[in-house]
Amino acid sequence: MFQSGRRSGKTSYLNMKQGRPKSRPLYIRLLRWVLVLALLGIGWFLYVLAQIGSVERSPALAIKDMPAADVGIVLGASMWGDRPSPGLEERLRHSLEQYQAGKFKMFLLTGGLDQEGYKYTEAEGMANYLEEHGVPREAMLLENKATSTYENLKFSQEIMKEHELSSALIMTHTFHGNRALEIAEVLGYEHPKLSLTKSKVLQPIPNTVREVLAYTKWKLVQAGLALGLDL
């Protein structure tokens, strides 16, 4: 009787053990999470690409018959020593065309010091370039502290308020336009307009990847602003 009970208990234990689902090995579970994260990353990358491209259909794009804006904000980019980089020079040439076409009344040049040892901030480098091309210094306002697109537009807005200027035409590259517009709208610019130029000197793939990362950073900043944090 006693032996029979022991056999019965052992059999029952074996049956329970066999009935339990086998847990997947740890590496299988990790692989599943890696695949999920990879799919989320690809989805986000494609979403940002769509956002970047959507700016060319934006109603904020400047049109021929629009009234002249109070300022034309040229968003800074890298300096190469004392001179604007080729990418920044593209923005400056475009801004000159817009100024000569009467699209805005005064330049607002924005961008801080790229690195220690440089003689000029991005704004100062842009001002030197424009002066060389016939624009008087009296037609320029300079913002010399910004180190990001968010700061470019935030600090420029403060300068506009100081000078009682209200309307702005924001000038930059096409790939950068959607992010710049989103930031301007979040900051409360009054009907901001865009004037964009396509780059012929910046490498498309590295530049696109960098813009995806920069847009991702901006969305984190935007989320922080919504929570009352000024990041």
PDB file of all heavy atoms in Angstrom, residues 39-73:
ATOM      1  N   LEU A  39      11.984  46.750 -35.720  1.00  0.00           N
ATOM      2  CA  LEU A  39      10.805  47.128 -36.502  1.00  0.00           C
ATOM      3  C   LEU A  39      10.297  48.516 -36.096  1.00  0.00           C
ATOM      4  O   LEU A  39       9.912  49.320 -36.947  1.00  0.00           O
ATOM      5  CB  LEU A  39       9.699  46.088 -36.318  1.00  0.00           C
ATOM      6  CG  LEU A  39       9.941  44.742 -37.010  1.00  0.00           C
ATOM      7  CD1 LEU A  39       8.880  43.729 -36.590  1.00  0.00           C
ATOM      8  CD2 LEU A  39       9.956  44.902 -38.524  1.00  0.00           C
ATOM      9  N   LEU A  40      10.323  48.796 -34.785  1.00  0.00           N
ATOM     10  CA  LEU A  40       9.923  50.121 -34.321  1.00  0.00           C
ATOM     11  C   LEU A  40      10.864  51.197 -34.858  1.00  0.00           C
ATOM     12  O   LEU A  40      10.434  52.273 -35.278  1.00  0.00           O
ATOM     13  CB  LEU A  40       9.893  50.162 -32.791  1.00  0.00           C
ATOM     14  CG  LEU A  40       8.759  49.396 -32.111  1.00  0.00           C
ATOM     15  CD1 LEU A  40       8.961  49.368 -30.602  1.00  0.00           C
ATOM     16  CD2 LEU A  40       7.405  50.005 -32.453  1.00  0.00           C
ATOM     17  N   GLY A  41      12.170  50.886 -34.857  1.00  0.00           N
ATOM     18  CA  GLY A  41      13.156  51.831 -35.373  1.00  0.00           C
ATOM     19  C   GLY A  41      12.967  52.103 -36.852  1.00  0.00           C
ATOM     20  O   GLY A  41      13.032  53.256 -37.293  1.00  0.00           O
ATOM     21  N   ILE A  42      12.711  51.047 -37.619  1.00  0.00           N
ATOM     22  CA  ILE A  42      12.485  51.219 -39.058  1.00  0.00           C
ATOM     23  C   ILE A  42      11.211  52.026 -39.299  1.00  0.00           C
ATOM     24  O   ILE A  42      11.167  52.916 -40.158  1.00  0.00           O
ATOM     25  CB  ILE A  42      12.397  49.844 -39.748  1.00  0.00           C
ATOM     26  CG1 ILE A  42      13.773  49.148 -39.719  1.00  0.00           C
ATOM     27  CG2 ILE A  42      11.900  49.974 -41.186  1.00  0.00           C
ATOM     28  CD1 ILE A  42      13.731  47.698 -40.125  1.00  0.00           C
ATOM     29  N   GLY A  43      10.170  51.732 -38.521  1.00  0.00           N
ATOM     30  CA  GLY A  43       8.918  52.480 -38.656  1.00  0.00           C
ATOM     31  C   GLY A  43       9.109  53.961 -38.363  1.00  0.00           C
ATOM     32  O   GLY A  43       8.602  54.819 -39.088  1.00  0.00           O
ATOM     33  N   TRP A  44       9.853  54.265 -37.297  1.00  0.00           N
ATOM     34  CA  TRP A  44      10.110  55.663 -36.952  1.00  0.00           C
ATOM     35  C   TRP A  44      10.932  56.356 -38.035  1.00  0.00           C
ATOM     36  O   TRP A  44      10.650  57.490 -38.409  1.00  0.00           O
ATOM     37  CB  TRP A  44      10.827  55.751 -35.615  1.00  0.00           C
ATOM     38  CG  TRP A  44      11.210  57.156 -35.242  1.00  0.00           C
ATOM     39  CD1 TRP A  44      12.448  57.705 -35.228  1.00  0.00           C
ATOM     40  CD2 TRP A  44      10.312  58.203 -34.843  1.00  0.00           C
ATOM     41  NE1 TRP A  44      12.401  59.023 -34.845  1.00  0.00           N
ATOM     42  CE2 TRP A  44      11.106  59.359 -34.604  1.00  0.00           C
ATOM     43  CE3 TRP A  44       8.930  58.283 -34.659  1.00  0.00           C
ATOM     44  CZ2 TRP A  44      10.547  60.569 -34.192  1.00  0.00           C
ATOM     45  CZ3 TRP A  44       8.382  59.492 -34.247  1.00  0.00           C
ATOM     46  CH2 TRP A  44       9.184  60.613 -34.029  1.00  0.00           C
ATOM     47  N   PHE A  45      11.937  55.659 -38.560  1.00  0.00           N
ATOM     48  CA  PHE A  45      12.791  56.214 -39.617  1.00  0.00           C
ATOM     49  C   PHE A  45      11.947  56.581 -40.838  1.00  0.00           C
ATOM     50  O   PHE A  45      12.085  57.678 -41.401  1.00  0.00           O
ATOM     51  CB  PHE A  45      13.869  55.200 -40.005  1.00  0.00           C
ATOM     52  CG  PHE A  45      14.902  55.723 -40.946  1.00  0.00           C
ATOM     53  CD1 PHE A  45      16.004  56.426 -40.486  1.00  0.00           C
ATOM     54  CD2 PHE A  45      14.774  55.522 -42.315  1.00  0.00           C
ATOM     55  CE1 PHE A  45      16.972  56.914 -41.364  1.00  0.00           C
ATOM     56  CE2 PHE A  45      15.723  56.004 -43.195  1.00  0.00           C
ATOM     57  CZ  PHE A  45      16.825  56.704 -42.724  1.00  0.00           C
ATOM     58  N   LEU A  46      11.048  55.678 -41.231  1.00  0.00           N
ATOM     59  CA  LEU A  46      10.191  55.943 -42.389  1.00  0.00           C
ATOM     60  C   LEU A  46       9.223  57.090 -42.118  1.00  0.00           C
ATOM     61  O   LEU A  46       8.947  57.907 -43.002  1.00  0.00           O
ATOM     62  CB  LEU A  46       9.424  54.670 -42.769  1.00  0.00           C
ATOM     63  CG  LEU A  46      10.288  53.507 -43.288  1.00  0.00           C
ATOM     64  CD1 LEU A  46       9.433  52.264 -43.486  1.00  0.00           C
ATOM     65  CD2 LEU A  46      10.997  53.887 -44.580  1.00  0.00           C
ATOM     66  N   TYR A  47       8.715  57.161 -40.887  1.00  0.00           N
ATOM     67  CA  TYR A  47       7.812  58.257 -40.517  1.00  0.00           C
ATOM     68  C   TYR A  47       8.529  59.603 -40.625  1.00  0.00           C
ATOM     69  O   TYR A  47       7.983  60.571 -41.180  1.00  0.00           O
ATOM     70  CB  TYR A  47       7.302  58.046 -39.096  1.00  0.00           C
ATOM     71  CG  TYR A  47       6.605  59.258 -38.517  1.00  0.00           C
ATOM     72  CD1 TYR A  47       5.307  59.598 -38.899  1.00  0.00           C
ATOM     73  CD2 TYR A  47       7.264  60.085 -37.596  1.00  0.00           C
ATOM     74  CE1 TYR A  47       4.677  60.719 -38.374  1.00  0.00           C
ATOM     75  CE2 TYR A  47       6.636  61.211 -37.073  1.00  0.00           C
ATOM     76  CZ  TYR A  47       5.351  61.522 -37.470  1.00  0.00           C
ATOM     77  OH  TYR A  47       4.744  62.637 -36.954  1.00  0.00           O
ATOM     78  N   VAL A  48       9.762  59.665 -40.112  1.00  0.00           N
ATOM     79  CA  VAL A  48      10.513  60.925 -40.157  1.00  0.00           C
ATOM     80  C   VAL A  48      10.825  61.310 -41.597  1.00  0.00           C
ATOM     81  O   VAL A  48      10.738  62.485 -41.975  1.00  0.00           O
ATOM     82  CB  VAL A  48      11.798  60.831 -39.309  1.00  0.00           C
ATOM     83  CG1 VAL A  48      12.635  62.109 -39.455  1.00  0.00           C
ATOM     84  CG2 VAL A  48      11.449  60.603 -37.843  1.00  0.00           C
ATOM     85  N   LEU A  49      11.177  60.329 -42.424  1.00  0.00           N
ATOM     86  CA  LEU A  49      11.425  60.624 -43.842  1.00  0.00           C
ATOM     87  C   LEU A  49      10.182  61.239 -44.485  1.00  0.00           C
ATOM     88  O   LEU A  49      10.281  62.187 -45.280  1.00  0.00           O
ATOM     89  CB  LEU A  49      11.824  59.349 -44.590  1.00  0.00           C
ATOM     90  CG  LEU A  49      13.220  58.791 -44.316  1.00  0.00           C
ATOM     91  CD1 LEU A  49      13.451  57.553 -45.175  1.00  0.00           C
ATOM     92  CD2 LEU A  49      14.307  59.825 -44.588  1.00  0.00           C
ATOM     93  N   ALA A  50       9.026  60.704 -44.133  1.00  0.00           N
ATOM     94  CA  ALA A  50       7.774  61.251 -44.679  1.00  0.00           C
ATOM     95  C   ALA A  50       7.554  62.677 -44.190  1.00  0.00           C
ATOM     96  O   ALA A  50       7.106  63.548 -44.953  1.00  0.00           O
ATOM     97  CB  ALA A  50       6.597  60.367 -44.272  1.00  0.00           C
ATOM     98  N   GLN A  51       7.881  62.936 -42.935  1.00  0.00           N
ATOM     99  CA  GLN A  51       7.737  64.286 -42.393  1.00  0.00           C
ATOM    100  C   GLN A  51       8.676  65.262 -43.092  1.00  0.00           C
ATOM    101  O   GLN A  51       8.295  66.380 -43.421  1.00  0.00           O
ATOM    102  CB  GLN A  51       8.014  64.283 -40.884  1.00  0.00           C
ATOM    103  CG  GLN A  51       6.974  63.558 -40.054  1.00  0.00           C
ATOM    104  CD  GLN A  51       5.621  64.210 -40.194  1.00  0.00           C
ATOM    105  OE1 GLN A  51       4.723  63.678 -40.859  1.00  0.00           O
ATOM    106  NE2 GLN A  51       5.435  65.357 -39.589  1.00  0.00           N
ATOM    107  N   ILE A  52       9.907  64.836 -43.326  1.00  0.00           N
ATOM    108  CA  ILE A  52      10.884  65.691 -44.009  1.00  0.00           C
ATOM    109  C   ILE A  52      10.381  66.050 -45.399  1.00  0.00           C
ATOM    110  O   ILE A  52      10.447  67.204 -45.833  1.00  0.00           O
ATOM    111  CB  ILE A  52      12.256  64.987 -44.080  1.00  0.00           C
ATOM    112  CG1 ILE A  52      12.867  64.857 -42.677  1.00  0.00           C
ATOM    113  CG2 ILE A  52      13.218  65.748 -45.007  1.00  0.00           C
ATOM    114  CD1 ILE A  52      14.103  63.974 -42.622  1.00  0.00           C
ATOM    115  N   GLY A  53       9.846  65.065 -46.108  1.00  0.00           N
ATOM    116  CA  GLY A  53       9.369  65.296 -47.469  1.00  0.00           C
ATOM    117  C   GLY A  53       8.088  66.100 -47.531  1.00  0.00           C
ATOM    118  O   GLY A  53       7.832  66.783 -48.528  1.00  0.00           O
ATOM    119  N   SER A  54       7.301  66.069 -46.450  1.00  0.00           N
ATOM    120  CA  SER A  54       5.998  66.729 -46.472  1.00  0.00           C
ATOM    121  C   SER A  54       6.113  68.246 -46.541  1.00  0.00           C
ATOM    122  O   SER A  54       5.159  68.923 -46.914  1.00  0.00           O
ATOM    123  CB  SER A  54       5.182  66.345 -45.231  1.00  0.00           C
ATOM    124  OG  SER A  54       5.735  66.932 -44.065  1.00  0.00           O
ATOM    125  N   VAL A  55       7.276  68.794 -46.197  1.00  0.00           N
ATOM    126  CA  VAL A  55       7.408  70.254 -46.144  1.00  0.00           C
ATOM    127  C   VAL A  55       7.218  70.889 -47.521  1.00  0.00           C
ATOM    128  O   VAL A  55       6.785  72.035 -47.631  1.00  0.00           O
ATOM    129  CB  VAL A  55       8.783  70.644 -45.551  1.00  0.00           C
ATOM    130  CG1 VAL A  55       9.919  70.402 -46.551  1.00  0.00           C
ATOM    131  CG2 VAL A  55       8.779  72.103 -45.106  1.00  0.00           C
ATOM    132  N   GLU A  56       7.504  70.137 -48.578  1.00  0.00           N
ATOM    133  CA  GLU A  56       7.373  70.707 -49.924  1.00  0.00           C
ATOM    134  C   GLU A  56       5.914  70.917 -50.317  1.00  0.00           C
ATOM    135  O   GLU A  56       5.630  71.573 -51.314  1.00  0.00           O
ATOM    136  CB  GLU A  56       8.091  69.805 -50.935  1.00  0.00           C
ATOM    137  CG  GLU A  56       9.589  69.716 -50.669  1.00  0.00           C
ATOM    138  CD  GLU A  56      10.354  69.077 -51.804  1.00  0.00           C
ATOM    139  OE1 GLU A  56      10.314  69.630 -52.924  1.00  0.00           O
ATOM    140  OE2 GLU A  56      10.971  68.023 -51.588  1.00  0.00           O
ATOM    141  N   ARG A  57       4.991  70.376 -49.532  1.00  0.00           N
ATOM    142  CA  ARG A  57       3.557  70.592 -49.775  1.00  0.00           C
ATOM    143  C   ARG A  57       2.951  71.513 -48.722  1.00  0.00           C
ATOM    144  O   ARG A  57       1.738  71.677 -48.661  1.00  0.00           O
ATOM    145  CB  ARG A  57       2.823  69.241 -49.767  1.00  0.00           C
ATOM    146  CG  ARG A  57       3.332  68.247 -50.797  1.00  0.00           C
ATOM    147  CD  ARG A  57       2.525  66.965 -50.804  1.00  0.00           C
ATOM    148  NE  ARG A  57       2.626  66.244 -49.543  1.00  0.00           N
ATOM    149  CZ  ARG A  57       3.617  65.415 -49.236  1.00  0.00           C
ATOM    150  NH1 ARG A  57       4.604  65.215 -50.089  1.00  0.00           N
ATOM    151  NH2 ARG A  57       3.633  64.781 -48.072  1.00  0.00           N
ATOM    152  N   SER A  58       3.799  72.107 -47.894  1.00  0.00           N
ATOM    153  CA  SER A  58       3.307  72.922 -46.779  1.00  0.00           C
ATOM    154  C   SER A  58       2.755  74.263 -47.247  1.00  0.00           C
ATOM    155  O   SER A  58       3.363  74.939 -48.085  1.00  0.00           O
ATOM    156  CB  SER A  58       4.436  73.170 -45.776  1.00  0.00           C
ATOM    157  OG  SER A  58       4.028  74.096 -44.793  1.00  0.00           O
ATOM    158  N   PRO A  59       1.630  74.681 -46.688  1.00  0.00           N
ATOM    159  CA  PRO A  59       1.099  76.014 -47.012  1.00  0.00           C
ATOM    160  C   PRO A  59       1.981  77.140 -46.474  1.00  0.00           C
ATOM    161  O   PRO A  59       1.769  78.310 -46.825  1.00  0.00           O
ATOM    162  CB  PRO A  59      -0.275  76.020 -46.329  1.00  0.00           C
ATOM    163  CG  PRO A  59      -0.194  74.972 -45.273  1.00  0.00           C
ATOM    164  CD  PRO A  59       0.747  73.936 -45.778  1.00  0.00           C
ATOM    165  N   ALA A  60       2.956  76.808 -45.637  1.00  0.00           N
ATOM    166  CA  ALA A  60       3.849  77.829 -45.084  1.00  0.00           C
ATOM    167  C   ALA A  60       4.920  78.257 -46.081  1.00  0.00           C
ATOM    168  O   ALA A  60       5.630  79.235 -45.835  1.00  0.00           O
ATOM    169  CB  ALA A  60       4.515  77.321 -43.808  1.00  0.00           C
ATOM    170  N   LEU A  61       5.049  77.548 -47.186  1.00  0.00           N
ATOM    171  CA  LEU A  61       6.059  77.924 -48.175  1.00  0.00           C
ATOM    172  C   LEU A  61       5.724  79.286 -48.772  1.00  0.00           C
ATOM    173  O   LEU A  61       4.576  79.580 -49.102  1.00  0.00           O
ATOM    174  CB  LEU A  61       6.139  76.874 -49.285  1.00  0.00           C
ATOM    175  CG  LEU A  61       6.853  75.566 -48.935  1.00  0.00           C
ATOM    176  CD1 LEU A  61       6.761  74.594 -50.089  1.00  0.00           C
ATOM    177  CD2 LEU A  61       8.319  75.821 -48.575  1.00  0.00           C
ATOM    178  N   ALA A  62       6.752  80.107 -48.888  1.00  0.00           N
ATOM    179  CA  ALA A  62       6.564  81.460 -49.413  1.00  0.00           C
ATOM    180  C   ALA A  62       6.079  81.405 -50.857  1.00  0.00           C
ATOM    181  O   ALA A  62       6.507  80.561 -51.642  1.00  0.00           O
ATOM    182  CB  ALA A  62       7.880  82.229 -49.332  1.00  0.00           C
ATOM    183  N   ILE A  63       5.177  82.312 -51.197  1.00  0.00           N
ATOM    184  CA  ILE A  63       4.669  82.405 -52.567  1.00  0.00           C
ATOM    185  C   ILE A  63       5.042  83.764 -53.153  1.00  0.00           C
ATOM    186  O   ILE A  63       5.451  84.687 -52.441  1.00  0.00           O
ATOM    187  CB  ILE A  63       3.139  82.199 -52.605  1.00  0.00           C
ATOM    188  CG1 ILE A  63       2.441  83.215 -51.679  1.00  0.00           C
ATOM    189  CG2 ILE A  63       2.773  80.776 -52.225  1.00  0.00           C
ATOM    190  CD1 ILE A  63       0.940  83.161 -51.739  1.00  0.00           C
ATOM    191  N   LYS A  64       4.889  83.889 -54.452  1.00  0.00           N
ATOM    192  CA  LYS A  64       5.344  85.097 -55.144  1.00  0.00           C
ATOM    193  C   LYS A  64       4.716  86.372 -54.608  1.00  0.00           C
ATOM    194  O   LYS A  64       5.375  87.383 -54.423  1.00  0.00           O
ATOM    195  CB  LYS A  64       5.046  84.976 -56.642  1.00  0.00           C
ATOM    196  CG  LYS A  64       6.030  84.107 -57.392  1.00  0.00           C
ATOM    197  CD  LYS A  64       5.753  84.153 -58.877  1.00  0.00           C
ATOM    198  CE  LYS A  64       6.780  83.315 -59.638  1.00  0.00           C
ATOM    199  NZ  LYS A  64       6.533  83.365 -61.103  1.00  0.00           N
ATOM    200  N   ASP A  65       3.421  86.354 -54.367  1.00  0.00           N
ATOM    201  CA  ASP A  65       2.707  87.582 -54.037  1.00  0.00           C
ATOM    202  C   ASP A  65       2.601  87.863 -52.543  1.00  0.00           C
ATOM    203  O   ASP A  65       1.854  88.744 -52.138  1.00  0.00           O
ATOM    204  CB  ASP A  65       1.302  87.528 -54.637  1.00  0.00           C
ATOM    205  CG  ASP A  65       1.339  87.406 -56.161  1.00  0.00           C
ATOM    206  OD1 ASP A  65       2.284  87.954 -56.755  1.00  0.00           O
ATOM    207  OD2 ASP A  65       0.444  86.761 -56.722  1.00  0.00           O
ATOM    208  N   MET A  66       3.324  87.131 -51.727  1.00  0.00           N
ATOM    209  CA  MET A  66       3.229  87.365 -50.287  1.00  0.00           C
ATOM    210  C   MET A  66       3.851  88.718 -49.929  1.00  0.00           C
ATOM    211  O   MET A  66       4.828  89.151 -50.555  1.00  0.00           O
ATOM    212  CB  MET A  66       3.924  86.242 -49.514  1.00  0.00           C
ATOM    213  CG  MET A  66       5.416  86.138 -49.721  1.00  0.00           C
ATOM    214  SD  MET A  66       6.209  85.010 -48.561  1.00  0.00           S
ATOM    215  CE  MET A  66       6.445  86.112 -47.159  1.00  0.00           C
ATOM    216  N   PRO A  67       3.296  89.406 -48.931  1.00  0.00           N
ATOM    217  CA  PRO A  67       3.895  90.677 -48.506  1.00  0.00           C
ATOM    218  C   PRO A  67       5.265  90.440 -47.875  1.00  0.00           C
ATOM    219  O   PRO A  67       5.543  89.353 -47.344  1.00  0.00           O
ATOM    220  CB  PRO A  67       2.891  91.211 -47.482  1.00  0.00           C
ATOM    221  CG  PRO A  67       2.116  90.028 -47.028  1.00  0.00           C
ATOM    222  CD  PRO A  67       2.084  89.076 -48.176  1.00  0.00           C
ATOM    223  N   ALA A  68       6.109  91.457 -47.929  1.00  0.00           N
ATOM    224  CA  ALA A  68       7.461  91.330 -47.378  1.00  0.00           C
ATOM    225  C   ALA A  68       7.397  91.103 -45.867  1.00  0.00           C
ATOM    226  O   ALA A  68       6.691  91.797 -45.145  1.00  0.00           O
ATOM    227  CB  ALA A  68       8.267  92.586 -47.691  1.00  0.00           C
ATOM    228  N   ALA A  69       8.138  90.099 -45.406  1.00  0.00           N
ATOM    229  CA  ALA A  69       8.216  89.839 -43.970  1.00  0.00           C
ATOM    230  C   ALA A  69       9.120  90.876 -43.309  1.00  0.00           C
ATOM    231  O   ALA A  69       9.997  91.464 -43.949  1.00  0.00           O
ATOM    232  CB  ALA A  69       8.768  88.435 -43.723  1.00  0.00           C
ATOM    233  N   ASP A  70       8.915  91.089 -42.015  1.00  0.00           N
ATOM    234  CA  ASP A  70       9.765  92.034 -41.281  1.00  0.00           C
ATOM    235  C   ASP A  70      11.226  91.579 -41.292  1.00  0.00           C
ATOM    236  O   ASP A  70      12.137  92.396 -41.449  1.00  0.00           O
ATOM    237  CB  ASP A  70       9.281  92.161 -39.836  1.00  0.00           C
ATOM    238  CG  ASP A  70       7.923  92.846 -39.743  1.00  0.00           C
ATOM    239  OD1 ASP A  70       7.573  93.615 -40.666  1.00  0.00           O
ATOM    240  OD2 ASP A  70       7.210  92.613 -38.751  1.00  0.00           O
ATOM    241  N   VAL A  71      11.431  90.263 -41.079  1.00  0.00           N
ATOM    242  CA  VAL A  71      12.801  89.739 -41.065  1.00  0.00           C
ATOM    243  C   VAL A  71      12.882  88.451 -41.878  1.00  0.00           C
ATOM    244  O   VAL A  71      11.900  87.704 -41.991  1.00  0.00           O
ATOM    245  CB  VAL A  71      13.309  89.452 -39.630  1.00  0.00           C
ATOM    246  CG1 VAL A  71      13.459  90.732 -38.826  1.00  0.00           C
ATOM    247  CG2 VAL A  71      12.421  88.449 -38.910  1.00  0.00           C
ATOM    248  N   GLY A  72      14.062  88.227 -42.415  1.00  0.00           N
ATOM    249  CA  GLY A  72      14.389  86.944 -43.018  1.00  0.00           C
ATOM    250  C   GLY A  72      15.391  86.264 -42.103  1.00  0.00           C
ATOM    251  O   GLY A  72      16.522  86.735 -41.940  1.00  0.00           O
ATOM    252  N   ILE A  73      14.961  85.183 -41.450  1.00  0.00           N
ATOM    253  CA  ILE A  73      15.837  84.472 -40.513  1.00  0.00           C
ATOM    254  C   ILE A  73      16.633  83.424 -41.282  1.00  0.00           C
ATOM    255  O   ILE A  73      16.070  82.509 -41.880  1.00  0.00           O
ATOM    256  CB  ILE A  73      15.018  83.781 -39.403  1.00  0.00           C
ATOM    257  CG1 ILE A  73      14.215  84.820 -38.616  1.00  0.00           C
ATOM    258  CG2 ILE A  73      15.934  83.001 -38.468  1.00  0.00           C
ATOM    259  CD1 ILE A  73      13.295  84.214 -37.560  1.00  0.00           C
TER     260      ILE A  73
END
